Amino acid sequence: MTTPSDDTASNKATAAFDSNGNVGATLGNANKNDCAVAQKSLEDFDPSKKPGRNKYAMACATLASMTSILLGYDIGVMSGASIYIQKDLRINDVKLQIMVGSLNVFSLLGSALAGKTSDWVGRRYTIVLAGAIFFAGALLMGLAFNYAFLMFGRFVAGIGVGYALMIAPVYTAEVSPASSRGFLTSFPEVFINGGILLGYVSNYGFSKFRLGLGWRLMLGIGAIPSVFLAAVVLVMPESPRWLVMQGRLKDAREVLDKTSDTPEESALRLADIKEAAGIPQECNDDIVQVKRKNKGQGVWKELLIYPTPSVRHILICAVGIHFFQQSTGIDAVVLYSPRIFAKAGITSSDHKLLATIAVGVVKTTFILVATFLLDRVGRRPLLLSSMGGMILSLASLGVWLTIIDHSQTKLMWAIALCILSVLSYVATFSIGMGPVTWVYSSEIFPLRLRAQGCSIGVAVNRVVSGVISMTFLSLSKGITIGGAFFLFTGIALVAFTFFYVMMPETQGKTLEEMECYFGRYHRWRSGGHVAGVNGKEGKKEQHPPPQIQMGPF
């Protein structure tokens, strides 16, 4: 008699493993199974212990995710630097908001190129390229002598940011074992928030310098971390999934052995990746030939023109979560927090910058908490509870700002409630909406579509972020600043409904089986039949592993 774990293993892959962890021949008869059970000791039937964090995978994820600090620093530093840039270059609010938000639009080019580049040269060298491009952009911004030159520097830096935003979550998801993928894939968001906090601190420190020098130092100093990041990334291994796509099975096996919790998991991951890449399971050569279609050709047609029901559902979820992450106003709060605090009644520049630093501290603290909850609580509970908190925070912020706007006197209690609402908003965003967006979108795409699919999500993210950041000042003048936050509240309500109806839980699923859980939209909770994917022979149906029970969370 076999144990439940034996049944599960046979459902996943009916293969035995030799001493090297390679997939071996199937135990094809009952006698062999009986012998295997007979040789087991009582200890073998004890509940398996949960594996600890894989330190090697954690190191790889940390190094890759540090690239995201570049975007965070630019967002954070621009919130304060824009005050001094406007004074020094004598530009109006329209030019200012275009300058602030333009980096997000420029990053579209980087994210569009990153998918193809990462399939061509690999995930690791794409990260190096992102750091090099941002280095050039930071230097150009620091040396800018007029508005046009500053915009050119932001164009270059934006391309680097687009590369970093797309590739860091992809690499981290592909190198992480399933047991800690949520924890590790949230690292890019952690470093974005760390970069924002560094930018806020830089604002406060360099604000003491003379007007023309201070903001240039704020922007130019961002070139320093990009040099360090480009250097340390070279010690990372390449993504095992990219190595398999290139036919380098030996190299992929070595990386998987180091980044998996057990030799058995390593072998199963390799078998799954080989299947997704179209490599026969019996092929165990060090280097094999891979069909050209697995190297990126035809991906856009499968994503956008002839998607299967499951791929269409995946794409809708990825685009939706990226759209709502930005359309609910996070960049407006982070980039224009000094303006928001000024509208709330804080007049001192030092006090505004200190309040902004408090925003950065809270945001970074709660993103660290979220990293430990993703693989314990799950994606959906964090996402839905986060959005609920954001709805309440945005609505209350809109109320207090409207009260202050209509008051003839300074209301200290309303000012305090505004600050608390801002802090509550960034805290609830960071506990779920911030990290889950990058984790979820990087893990749901099939291997053959992952790089390009993630680049679409990042492109949507940057477009919406650019629109919000380039229109917030005009919007707040047109419908009042309180009205702007009421608008964000309405969008957040729509987002909550979308997440609840459309998005299945992905916690604990392997990347290769993920596609099985999409394709039925709001009916995915009922389990059973799931729309299939295009196989070699045409369309086929796939069924989720029977031992997994799907529920709302």
Side-chain angles (χ1 to χ4, degrees):
M1 178 179 179
T2 57
T3 64
S5 61
D6 294 330
D7 292 335
T8 301
S10 64
N11 287 333
K12 180 64 186 171
T14 57
F17 300 90
D18 60 23
S19 59
N20 295 322
N22 297 321
V23 178
T26 302
L27 297 180
N29 56 64
N31 291 333
K32 290 183 179 180
N33 288 331
D34 292 340
C35 292
V37 174
Q39 292 172 357
K40 290 184 177 182
S41 63
L42 291 176
E43 288 78 5
D44 292 322
F45 292 92
D46 290 339
S48 58
K49 295 180 179 179
K50 185 178 179 180
R53 300 288 186 192
N54 186 300
K55 294 181 180 179
Y56 189 81
M58 186 179 298
C60 294
T62 301
L63 292 176
S65 303
M66 285 174 68
T67 313
S68 303
I69 204 171
L70 303 177
L71 171 63
Y73 183 82
D74 185 88
I75 292 173
V77 79
M78 191 52 68
S79 68
S82 60
I83 299 173
Y84 305 103
I85 292 172
Q86 187 172 29
K87 291 179 181 177
D88 188 33
L89 300 183
R90 295 181 175 86
I91 58 177
N92 57 32
D93 279 351
V94 174
K95 284 188 174 182
L96 178 68
Q97 63 186 4
I98 291 174
M99 183 268 297
V100 169
S102 61
L103 183 133
N104 296 311
V105 177
F106 297 147
S107 67
L108 286 174
L109 181 58
S111 63
L113 295 173
K116 187 67 174 178
T117 304
S118 65
D119 281 344
W120 180 37
V121 302
R123 314 316 196 205
R124 184 176 59 160
Y125 286 113
T126 304
I127 296 174
V128 174
L129 181 61
I133 296 174
F134 188 86
F135 172 81
L139 283 182
L140 290 171
M141 288 190 292
L143 297 173
F145 52 86
N146 60 25
Y147 182 77
F149 198 97
L150 180 59
M151 289 295 292
F152 177 69
R154 292 190 69 70
F155 169 74
V156 176
I159 295 175
V161 165
Y163 267 93
L165 272 178
M166 198 289 289
I167 197 58
V170 169
Y171 176 89
T172 305
E174 293 184 346
V175 83
S176 303
S179 63
S180 57
R181 190 175 62 245
F183 173 72
L184 297 179
T185 314
S186 65
F187 279 19
E189 184 70 14
V190 172
F191 283 102
I192 288 176
N193 283 272
I196 290 173
L197 179 57
L198 287 176
Y200 288 158
V201 173
S202 176
N203 286 155
Y204 186 76
F206 290 116
S207 66
K208 311 303 179 185
F209 288 73
R210 63 182 176 85
L211 180 62
L213 178 62
W215 67 263
R216 289 181 171 86
L217 288 174
M218 294 175 191
L219 300 180
I221 204 75
I224 295 177
S226 62
V227 176
F228 169 75
L229 294 174
V232 298
V233 164
L234 292 175
V235 306
M236 293 168 18
E238 185 50 84
S239 158
R241 287 175 172 80
W242 184 82
L243 292 171
V244 172
M245 288 167 65
Q246 308 306 307
R248 295 163 56 181
L249 297 187
K250 179 183 177 182
D251 294 337
R253 189 179 297 114
E254 291 175 353
V255 176
L256 287 169
D257 286 343
K258 293 179 179 179
T259 58
S260 299
D261 293 327
T262 63
E264 290 78 13
E265 182 190 8
S266 173
L268 284 174
R269 288 174 70 186
L270 180 60
D272 285 340
I273 299 170
K274 286 166 66 177
E275 181 181 357
I279 300 174
Q281 293 297 335
E282 63 272 11
C283 183
N284 289 306
D285 296 337
D286 291 346
I287 299 177
V288 300
Q289 289 292 327
V290 181
K291 296 178 182 179
R292 288 180 59 83
K293 68 177 183 178
N294 292 320
K295 296 184 180 180
Q297 288 81 357
V299 167
W300 294 111
K301 284 186 179 180
E302 189 173 352
L303 268 174
L304 303 175
I305 301 177
Y306 307 113
T308 63
S310 57
V311 169
R312 186 184 298 112
H313 187 184
I314 288 170
L315 186 62
I316 290 172
C317 288
V319 169
I321 196 170
H322 277 287
F323 172 82
F324 286 119
Q325 186 198 49
Q326 294 299 329
S327 62
T328 46
I330 185 61
D331 273 6
V333 172
V334 173
L335 283 167
Y336 297 106
S337 51
R339 290 280 189 126
I340 295 171
F341 292 136
K343 286 285 187 180
I346 301 175
T347 55
S348 168
S349 295
D350 277 357
H351 290 168
K352 283 186 285 188
L353 292 178
L354 285 173
T356 302
I357 290 176
V359 171
V361 170
V362 170
K363 201 170 187 297
T364 304
T365 300
F366 278 86
I367 191 66
L368 291 173
V369 173
T371 61
F372 293 97
L373 296 177
L374 278 164
D375 289 315
R376 297 174 183 269
V377 177
R379 285 50 157 165
R380 273 177 58 86
L382 281 181
L383 191 61
L384 294 173
S385 58
S386 169
M387 188 54 64
M390 289 167 60
I391 291 169
L392 295 176
S393 301
L394 287 168
S396 61
L397 182 58
V399 169
W400 310 136
L401 286 172
T402 301
I403 290 173
I404 291 173
D405 198 34
H406 288 79
S407 175
Q408 302 298 320
T409 60
K410 192 170 185 177
L411 303 174
M412 295 304 299
W413 61 270
I415 294 173
L417 289 173
C418 278
I419 296 173
L420 286 175
S421 295
V422 170
L423 296 179
S424 171
Y425 172 72
V426 297
T428 51
F429 175 89
S430 294
I431 204 72
M433 189 67 197
V436 171
T437 296
W438 302 104
V439 173
Y440 200 90
S441 62
S442 65
E443 67 185 1
I444 59 177
F445 283 102
L447 169 64
R448 66 192 182 278
L449 311 175
R450 186 164 300 133
Q452 287 81 358
C454 288
S455 69
I456 292 175
V458 172
V460 171
N461 188 289
R462 294 299 88 198
V463 166
V464 179
S465 176
V467 170
I468 295 295
S469 54
M470 287 194 293
T471 59
F472 178 72
L473 295 181
S474 300
L475 180 68
S476 61
K477 288 180 180 178
I479 62 174
T480 74
I481 192 167
F485 284 104
F486 286 135
L487 176 61
F488 293 147
T489 304
I491 296 173
L493 286 168
V494 176
F496 184 93
T497 304
F498 175 87
F499 297 150
Y500 185 82
V501 171
M502 292 290 292
M503 297 176 63
E505 179 61 77
T506 59
Q507 179 192 11
K509 315 298 188 297
T510 68
L511 295 180
E512 282 66 39
E513 73 180 7
M514 200 72 70
E515 198 172 353
C516 299
Y517 297 95
F518 292 84
R520 304 192 68 203
Y521 304 97
H522 65 282
R523 294 173 292 171
W524 56 262
R525 295 182 185 82
S526 61
H529 167 76
V530 181
V533 297
N534 281 332
K536 188 174 181 181
E537 308 299 332
K539 289 188 178 181
K540 64 179 181 179
E541 293 181 358
Q542 293 183 350
H543 299 271
Q547 71 274 14
I548 297 177
Q549 298 297 321
M550 296 298 293
F553 298 106

